[in-house]
């Protein structure tokens, strides 16, 4: 093979942030090359400036607040930082295109899919209406959309997330650009869909010899798709090289730490918990979101979110509830805490039924079962100090204020936050720290069970590892039981003793994590496990990280 | 359901059914409220005549059915209303329906013109201000909006009369046509337009300010959405992004407000019509209250509630047409 031609060359690029930010430059001295037919993954945690790199190449930075102050971006040898707005517009969508993260919001809700792809052709070609339509139908077929003709007239909300992302890809590919920038294109998708989309991107890129700058935070995805990898930290490139080298023999300590934080796919050994008492038991739970409407308003079909669900959770045990979106896993977490009323069934905490409890009994029972939520920003009242947030629960349940506050300060050190944190407000903390506050708030009630609904999915991978370690540690020290709802099978493998796999409101498989992962019985579990990105790659530094 | 109707028709039918109890409640409520006010038609008539002997007053009451218990009066009125019989106006000595139809045109003209001006100008100024957000243009437009917004319409109306009619003499002070001119054809249209300029402006400016502010915020909000970035990544020019991607999405909250405010505009027209002595429903309502002309007043209320129901229905239709995610159910 002849040496590949560079498509994109970024040279000593510097992007300045407005004054008063946490650092002067979003990107500092970034040099990066994408060759023809190559996928370069730009990896970094939130705030690393990876999306700024995309913005700088597309020239879509929020100027003049954020602007390129130094360096060159060359597309096929032509420096595009010097181009005027009009020339740049001619380039975008034609030789340079972009795929965004959220297929849900990245398409105009008021225009048909066909119109939106057609717009690219209208802007950049002289084709007539008929030719354009033929081309759109062709590209829709290329991205494997079933029935392109009817999709042409469909609105984005009528399609699934995966289909919408296919449309985005079709839109990016329709003029066979030289370079595609993909900004976290699969982050919002379920694993099985993610696998298909990654395969699609790889296949199409192979056929068209397009260069792809693939921005992601997920090393699993990187392992799946990258030819070369560049690692970014706080705007600086710390390491770049061929995929195999970075993944298996990283040199820079930051890369090593990042890879070490990726949860391995090896579940913990089975715990001998058979004799531990059952703390939480669910018996044939059922929840249907009722059909709405009647004579005078619209009708909506009933949705069965959970049907006939039973499980047992023993003391000190972690039970993972895994499944894709729409599987009913979040509904389960809401029902067992009775934030949502179930239609039938029982939830027993130490033998006392939560579902049938009266208001007064419920309040006492709530003490024993606490929740940790997904979004640590949205679940903490922004107007209250941390100490009040943590002490509020015990105070409501009758603990004297002074005692509750003293206990709250202890809890802060338990979740590894400094005591000074007590008098600050939630917005002064990072996502990981906020999730620690959320956990402290939950254990302040001294519960028997903690229900955690995707507690780490909004966090960066290194922070995620810390929070998971903290949860496991607290569980062992306080003999808590965890009901852990997650879509991330790597996280489940890391933490859970047992898992139940849900699909469309039903448990398709349940058992010890190690057994389910090693030898899945149900076809759905098999396909879920086969879709984990980078499942063939064993993070190598794991051995080093264990001290 | 057994019968399959096109969604729009089924929707219309359902809304029609929903409207019946709404209007019924409005009528019952207004009837009872009006009966609570001291004085009735006979008092007003006798007052105008400068007094009469009690026997005559009692006979008059019996003749008009005003001696019956309130509930009986209400039942009689509602059963006639069910057959769209609005009764007789004792002030105008005409059937109420005739009186109403005479006045409806002027009010509808006033409302339609002021709302369309408010909507079109508000939306375009708002979008324009948002595109140049925080610039001098934006500041000038926003400040003007604030002035319109803060100015009561009756005060604005008086100022305009003072300036354009009294000082400059460009526009007529009031009325809907030049008295004694008897224009026909296009002259009549031009004459009416001249008379409508000031009332329309006075009524529309405050709403214009509403829509402008809302549109400006809405455009700024939509401009930050992902699909706008997608459009720019496709290479669309700023004006194309504005017209094809931002406007339609940004219009949704403005349309909601438009539908909601229609009834307030009806209320506002009472003041404006009185000031400019326009023979419309608003002015009629005012005189009917003074003269205790219950039948006419209830007729106006009935007509207005029907107009509001129809406008709400139309708003929903427009909304569904603008926002493809909404199903007419």
């Amino acid at each position: 093979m002849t040496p590949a031609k560079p498509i994109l060359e970024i040279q000593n690029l510097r992007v300045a942030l407005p004054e008063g930010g946490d650092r002067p430059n979003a990107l500092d001295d970034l040099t990066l090359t994408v060759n023809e037919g190559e996928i370069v993954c730009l990896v970094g945690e939130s705030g690393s400036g990876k999306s700024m790199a995309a913005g700088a190449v597309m020239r879509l930075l929020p100027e003049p607040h954020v602007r390129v102050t130094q360096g060159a971006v060359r597309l096929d040898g032509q420096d595009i930082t010097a181009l005027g707005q009009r020339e740049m517009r001619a380039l975008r969508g034609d030789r340079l295109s972009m795929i965004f993260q959220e297929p849900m919001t990245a398409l105009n809700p008021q225009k048909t899919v066909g119109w939106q792809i057609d717009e690219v052709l209208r802007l950049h070609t002289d084709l007539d209406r008929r030719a354009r339509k033929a081309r759109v139908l062709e590209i829709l077929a290329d991205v494997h959309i079933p029935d392109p003709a009817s999709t042409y007239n469909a609105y984005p909300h009528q399609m699934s997330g995966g289909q919408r992302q296919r449309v985005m890809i079709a839109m990016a590919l329709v003029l066979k650009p030289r370079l595609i920038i993909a900004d976290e294109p699969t982050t919002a998708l379920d694993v099985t869909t993610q696998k298909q989309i990654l395969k699609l991107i790889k296949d199409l890129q192979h056929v068209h010899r397009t260069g792809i700058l693939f921005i992601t935070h997920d090393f699993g995805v990187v392992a799946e798709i990258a030819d070369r990898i560049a690692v970014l930290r706080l705007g600086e490139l710390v390491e770049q090289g061929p995929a195999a080298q970075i993944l298996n023999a990283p040199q820079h300590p930051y890369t090593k730490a990042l890879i070490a934080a990726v949860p391995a796919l090896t579940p913990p050994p089975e715990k001998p918990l058979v004799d531990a008492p059952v703390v939480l038991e669910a018996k044939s739970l059922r929840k249907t979101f009722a059909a709405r409407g009647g004579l005078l308003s619209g009708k909506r079909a009933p949705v069965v979110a959970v049907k006939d669900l039973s499980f047992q959770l023993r003391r000190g045990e972690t039970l993972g509830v895994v499944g894709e979106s729409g599987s009913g896993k979040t509904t389960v977490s809401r029902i067992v805490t009775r934030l949502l009323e179930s239609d039938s069934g029982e939830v027993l905490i130490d033998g006392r039924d939560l579902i049938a409890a009266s208001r007064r009994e419920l309040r006492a029972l709530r003490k024993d079962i606490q929740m940790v939520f997904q979004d640590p920003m949205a679940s903490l009242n922004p107007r209250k100090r941390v100490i009040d947030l943590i002490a509020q629960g015990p105070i409501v349940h009758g603990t004297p204020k002074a005692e509750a506050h003293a206990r709250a300060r202890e809890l802060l050190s338990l979740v590894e936050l400094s005591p000074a944190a007590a008098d600050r407000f939630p917005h002064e903390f990072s996502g990981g720290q906020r999730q620690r506050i959320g956990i402290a708030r939950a254990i302040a009630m001294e519960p028997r069970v903690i229900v955690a609904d995707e507690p780490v999915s909004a966090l960066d991978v290194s922070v995620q590892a810390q929070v998971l370690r903290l949860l496991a540690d607290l569980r062992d020290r306080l003999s808590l039981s965890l009901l852990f709802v997650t879509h991330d099978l790597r996280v489940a493998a890391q933490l859970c003793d047992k898992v139940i796999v849900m699909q469309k409101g039903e448990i398709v498989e349940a058992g010890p994590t190690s057994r389910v992962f090693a030898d899945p019985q149900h076809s759905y579990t098999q396909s879920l496990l086969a879709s984990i990105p980078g499942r063939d790659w064993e993070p190598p530094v794991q051995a080093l990280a264990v001290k | 359901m057994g019968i399959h109707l096109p969604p729009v028709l089924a929707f219309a039918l359902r809304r029609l059914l929903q409207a019946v109890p709404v209007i019924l409640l409005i009528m019952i409520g207004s009837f009872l409220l009006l009966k609570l006010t001291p004085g009735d038609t006979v008092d007003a008539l006798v007052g105008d005549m400068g007094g009469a002997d009690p026997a005559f007053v009692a006979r008059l009451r019996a003749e008009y059915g005003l001696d019956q218990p309130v509930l009986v009066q209400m039942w009689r009125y509602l059963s006639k209303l069910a057959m769209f019989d609005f009764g007789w106006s004792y002030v105008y000595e005409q059937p109420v329906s005739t009186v109403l139809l005479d006045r409806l045109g002027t009010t509808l003209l006033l409302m339609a013109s002021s709302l369309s001006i408010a909507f079109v100008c508000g939306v375009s100024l708002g979008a324009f201000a948002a595109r140049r957000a925080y610039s001098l243009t934006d500041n000038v437009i926003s400040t003007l909006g604030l002035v319109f917004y803060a100015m009561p319409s009756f005060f604005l109306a008086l100022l305009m009369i003072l300036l354009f009619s009294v000082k400059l003499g460009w526009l007529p002070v009031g009325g809907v046509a030049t008295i004694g001119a008897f224009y026909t054809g296009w002259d009549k249209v031009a004459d009416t337009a001249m008379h409508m300029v000031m009332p329309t402006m006075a009524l529309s400016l405050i709403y214009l300010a509403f829509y402008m502010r809302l549109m400006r915020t809405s455009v700024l909000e939509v401009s930050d959405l992902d699909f706008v970035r997608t459009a720019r990544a496709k290479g669309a020019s700023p004006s194309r992004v504005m017209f094809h991607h931002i406007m339609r999405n940004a219009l949704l909250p403005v349309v909601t407000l438009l539908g909601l405010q229609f009834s307030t505009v009806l209320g506002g027209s009472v003041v404006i019509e009185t000031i400019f002595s326009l023979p419309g429903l608003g002015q009629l309502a005012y005189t009917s209250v003074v003269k205790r002309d219950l039948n006419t007043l209830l007729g106006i209320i009935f007509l207005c509630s029907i107009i509001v129901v129809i406008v709400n229905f139309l708003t929903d239709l427009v909304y569904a047409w603008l926002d493809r995610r909404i199903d007419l159910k």
Side-chain angles (χ1 to χ4, degrees):
Chain A
M1 214 167 108
T2 51
K5 223 171 72 188
I7 293 180
L8 174 75
E9 293 164 282
I10 301 175
Q11 222 165 39
N12 307 102
L13 184 73
R14 177 178 291 163
V15 174
L17 286 174
E19 282 185 31
D22 57 339
R23 59 176 198 254
N25 296 312
L27 286 173
D28 203 358
D29 208 20
L30 175 72
T31 301
L32 189 70
T33 311
V34 179
N35 291 323
E36 197 171 43
E38 188 182 45
I39 301 182
V40 177
C41 278
L42 189 58
V43 194
E45 299 190 288
S46 51
S48 62
K50 51 192 196 300
S51 291
M52 287 291 177
V57 174
M58 292 296 285
R59 294 265 309 274
L60 286 176
L61 291 173
E63 289 174 356
H65 310 292
V66 179
R67 59 187 199 285
V68 174
T69 48
Q70 182 200 305
V73 176
R74 275 192 280 276
L75 185 70
D76 284 326
Q78 180 190 20
D79 187 358
I80 58 174
T81 47
L83 291 182
Q85 282 301 332
R86 183 180 296 273
E87 291 150 312
M88 201 55 219
R89 277 206 295 276
L91 219 59
R92 278 185 217 133
D94 186 4
R95 283 165 57 205
L96 187 61
S97 65
M98 192 156 175
I99 305 169
F100 295 99
Q101 174 173 358
E102 276 286 344
M104 187 75 201
T105 53
L107 292 170
N108 188 338
Q110 315 302 357
K111 304 278 186 185
T112 61
V113 161
W115 188 94
Q116 298 194 48
I117 301 177
D118 183 66
E119 190 181 20
V120 181
L121 298 173
R122 214 170 334 160
L123 286 166
H124 297 288
T125 65
D126 301 326
L127 297 176
D128 64 6
R129 183 188 293 257
R130 189 187 301 266
R132 289 201 312 257
K133 177 152 185 181
R135 181 77 194 100
V136 173
L137 291 177
E138 190 186 327
I139 194 77
L140 281 174
D142 280 356
V143 296
H144 307 300
I145 287 225
D147 195 3
S150 86
T151 303
Y152 187 92
N153 292 317
Y155 287 93
H157 69 272
Q158 295 164 334
M159 315 175 73
S160 69
Q163 301 287 26
R164 276 194 288 251
Q165 198 58 296
R166 282 174 200 270
V167 170
M168 276 303 289
I169 293 171
M171 203 147 84
L173 276 176
V174 69
L175 287 173
K176 300 201 173 62
R178 298 282 292 150
L179 178 76
I180 295 177
I181 299 174
D183 190 355
E184 306 256 12
T186 57
T187 308
L189 304 174
D190 281 328
V191 273
T192 44
T193 321
Q194 166 168 292
K195 186 188 177 197
Q196 295 162 7
I197 297 286
L198 287 178
K199 184 170 182 305
L200 175 70
I201 292 179
K202 215 171 163 128
D203 289 351
L204 291 172
Q205 175 260 355
H206 195 72
V207 174
H208 299 305
R209 307 281 302 150
T210 318
I212 295 186
L213 181 62
F214 195 101
I215 295 171
T216 183
H217 68 283
D218 186 341
F219 264 100
V221 172
V222 173
E224 194 83 357
I225 202 170
D227 294 318
R228 271 189 322 117
I229 300 174
V231 183
L232 208 57
R233 181 185 60 171
L234 298 177
E236 284 174 47
L237 193 68
V238 296
E239 188 169 0
Q240 69 170 315
Q245 181 198 322
I246 303 269
L247 286 172
N248 298 319
Q251 297 304 309
H252 193 277
Y254 178 71
T255 321
K256 283 182 187 172
L258 264 189
I259 291 182
V262 177
L265 267 174
T266 39
E270 265 180 72
K271 268 194 214 172
L273 278 163
V274 198
D275 47 341
V278 174
V279 183
L280 178 74
E281 183 170 12
K283 283 185 191 164
S284 41
L285 288 175
R286 189 181 170 82
K287 177 74 192 173
T288 308
F289 290 105
R292 296 229 195 99
L295 183 62
L296 293 183
S297 59
K299 281 226 172 80
R300 194 167 297 169
V303 180
V304 182
V306 171
K307 47 184 156 190
D308 197 27
L309 179 102
S310 306
F311 62 84
Q312 285 189 334
L313 181 60
R314 294 174 186 278
R315 193 170 75 200
E317 192 180 47
T318 304
L319 176 66
V321 182
V322 298
E324 297 189 294
S325 51
S327 61
K329 56 187 195 305
T330 293
T331 312
V332 170
S333 74
R334 297 277 145 107
I335 290 178
V336 298
T337 46
R338 212 173 145 188
L339 292 173
L340 199 69
E341 297 288 339
S342 77
D343 300 339
S344 61
E346 288 177 357
V347 173
L348 302 171
I349 301 173
D350 282 337
R352 291 166 300 166
D353 191 358
L354 186 76
I355 302 287
S358 69
R359 260 171 179 277
R360 186 186 299 267
E361 289 164 345
L362 179 64
R363 219 163 126 167
L365 278 171
R366 279 261 165 83
K367 226 173 97 53
D368 288 335
I369 184 160
Q370 287 291 311
M371 272 199 94
V372 175
F373 296 94
Q374 172 171 10
D375 187 339
M377 188 69 221
S379 58
L380 296 173
N381 184 340
R383 303 255 176 277
K384 280 200 185 289
R385 289 176 198 280
V386 167
I387 186 126
D388 296 319
L389 286 168
I390 298 175
Q392 195 177 31
I395 291 174
V396 167
H397 280 266
T399 314
K401 193 173 174 189
E403 195 187 318
H405 276 201
R407 171 101 180 104
R409 282 177 206 277
E410 274 172 44
L411 285 171
L412 280 177
S413 66
L414 198 63
V415 296
E416 295 157 20
L417 285 174
S418 85
D423 297 312
R424 286 154 65 190
F425 289 97
H427 70 262
E428 297 175 59
F429 296 90
S430 69
Q433 289 171 324
R434 263 182 242 140
Q435 201 54 291
R436 284 168 195 272
I437 297 169
I439 293 170
R441 191 199 52 75
I443 57 177
M445 301 294 290
E446 298 173 9
R448 312 287 305 269
V449 182
I450 286 185
V451 178
D453 187 0
E454 304 265 11
V456 293
S457 58
L459 305 177
D460 276 330
V461 60
S462 59
V463 183
Q464 173 178 320
Q466 293 164 12
V467 172
L468 286 177
R469 193 165 41 72
L470 175 72
L471 270 174
D473 185 39
L474 289 172
R475 172 196 63 194
D476 296 341
R477 275 164 66 183
L478 308 172
S479 0
L480 289 168
S481 307
L482 279 178
L483 185 67
F484 195 92
V485 176
T486 184
H487 72 283
D488 189 334
L489 293 157
R490 281 179 183 274
V491 170
Q494 180 98 340
L495 190 71
C496 302
D497 306 309
K498 286 187 190 164
V499 284
I500 53 183
V501 182
M502 291 190 66
Q503 185 192 22
K504 293 177 187 150
E506 276 180 299
I507 297 181
V508 295
E509 190 160 0
T513 314
S514 49
R515 208 151 63 204
V516 171
F517 273 54
D519 182 22
Q521 298 300 315
H522 195 275
S523 60
Y524 179 67
T525 318
Q526 287 163 1
S527 83
L528 267 189
L529 287 169
S531 306
I532 300 175
R535 67 209 156 278
D536 301 326
W537 165 65
E538 188 65 30
V541 203
Q542 202 68 23
L544 301 172
V546 178
K547 287 164 198 146
Chain B
M1 262 188 273
I3 320 153
H4 260 290
L5 291 171
V8 179
L9 263 180
F11 177 71
L13 200 69
R14 191 160 44 231
R15 290 296 293 265
L16 192 70
L17 281 177
Q18 284 171 333
V20 172
V22 170
I23 290 179
L24 192 69
L25 275 177
I26 291 176
M27 293 319 291
I28 292 175
S30 332
F31 192 93
L32 294 178
L33 261 179
L34 288 172
K35 280 293 168 192
L36 278 176
T37 53
D40 56 16
T41 319
V42 175
D43 288 330
L45 278 177
V46 171
D48 279 352
M49 295 189 305
D53 68 287
F56 175 71
V57 170
R59 215 180 60 229
L60 214 53
R61 284 232 160 82
E63 194 180 310
Y64 293 164
L66 292 172
D67 56 341
Q68 301 289 320
V70 172
L71 287 181
V72 175
Q73 291 185 35
M74 186 168 82
W75 176 248
R76 284 185 181 169
Y77 181 76
L78 288 180
S79 36
K80 277 204 285 177
L81 193 66
M83 289 174 287
F84 293 95
D85 178 359
F86 293 95
W88 184 265
S89 163
Y90 302 107
V91 175
Y92 294 91
E93 295 296 343
Q94 275 178 325
V96 170
S97 47
T98 320
V99 180
L100 290 183
L101 283 182
D102 273 354
R103 310 284 186 125
L104 186 62
T106 314
T107 299
L108 282 186
L109 181 64
L110 178 65
M111 291 181 65
S113 55
S114 20
L115 271 182
S116 358
I117 285 180
F119 187 76
V120 172
C121 297
V123 162
S124 26
L125 279 176
F128 190 72
R131 235 186 106 179
R132 308 194 191 305
Y134 309 112
S135 69
L136 183 68
T137 332
D138 178 31
N139 286 338
V140 169
I141 293 179
S142 295
T143 315
L144 263 181
L146 197 66
V147 172
F148 294 155
Y149 181 67
M151 182 109 63
S153 55
F154 73 88
F155 187 63
L156 189 68
L158 292 177
L159 279 186
M160 285 202 298
I161 291 178
L162 194 66
L163 179 66
F164 294 111
S165 308
V166 180
K167 294 275 181 214
L168 298 172
W170 291 352
L171 294 169
V173 187
V176 78
T178 311
I179 297 164
F182 302 111
Y183 290 120
T184 49
W186 284 109
D187 288 340
K188 186 176 156 75
V189 173
D191 184 50
T192 314
M194 283 294 275
H195 281 85
M196 294 304 277
V197 170
M198 280 201 295
T200 304
M201 289 318 275
L203 192 56
S204 65
L205 281 181
I206 187 166
Y207 296 101
L208 190 154
F210 267 134
Y211 299 145
M212 199 189 79
R213 287 219 64 92
L214 191 64
M215 187 66 184
R216 179 178 176 275
T217 326
S218 182
V219 165
L220 283 179
E221 215 166 273
V222 174
S223 306
D224 280 341
L225 293 184
D226 286 353
F227 64 82
V228 176
R229 194 178 46 169
T230 308
R232 299 208 301 154
K234 278 195 244 180
S237 64
S239 55
R240 189 179 170 85
V241 170
M242 182 58 118
F243 283 112
H244 287 275
H245 295 277
I246 298 179
M247 280 290 251
R248 185 152 174 185
N249 285 285
L251 268 179
L252 296 173
V254 186
V255 170
T256 314
L257 190 71
L258 182 75
L260 280 176
Q261 278 191 334
F262 196 83
S263 43
T264 2
V265 180
L266 260 174
S269 71
V270 174
V271 177
I272 297 298
E273 284 174 14
T274 310
I275 293 176
F276 289 100
S277 42
L278 293 177
L281 286 180
Q283 200 204 27
L284 184 68
Y286 176 69
T287 46
S288 306
V289 171
V290 173
K291 305 243 176 190
R292 295 286 183 274
D293 189 355
L294 192 67
N295 280 350
T296 312
L297 205 51
L298 284 171
I300 294 172
I301 293 172
F302 184 73
L303 198 60
C304 289
S305 16
I306 285 182
I307 292 177
V308 169
V309 165
I310 290 174
V311 167
N312 275 330
F313 171 70
L314 291 179
T315 311
D316 283 352
L317 282 189
V318 171
Y319 208 85
W321 173 72
L322 276 176
D323 190 345
R324 298 297 177 168
R325 286 165 296 186
I326 292 175
D327 279 337
L328 285 181
K329 275 186 181 170

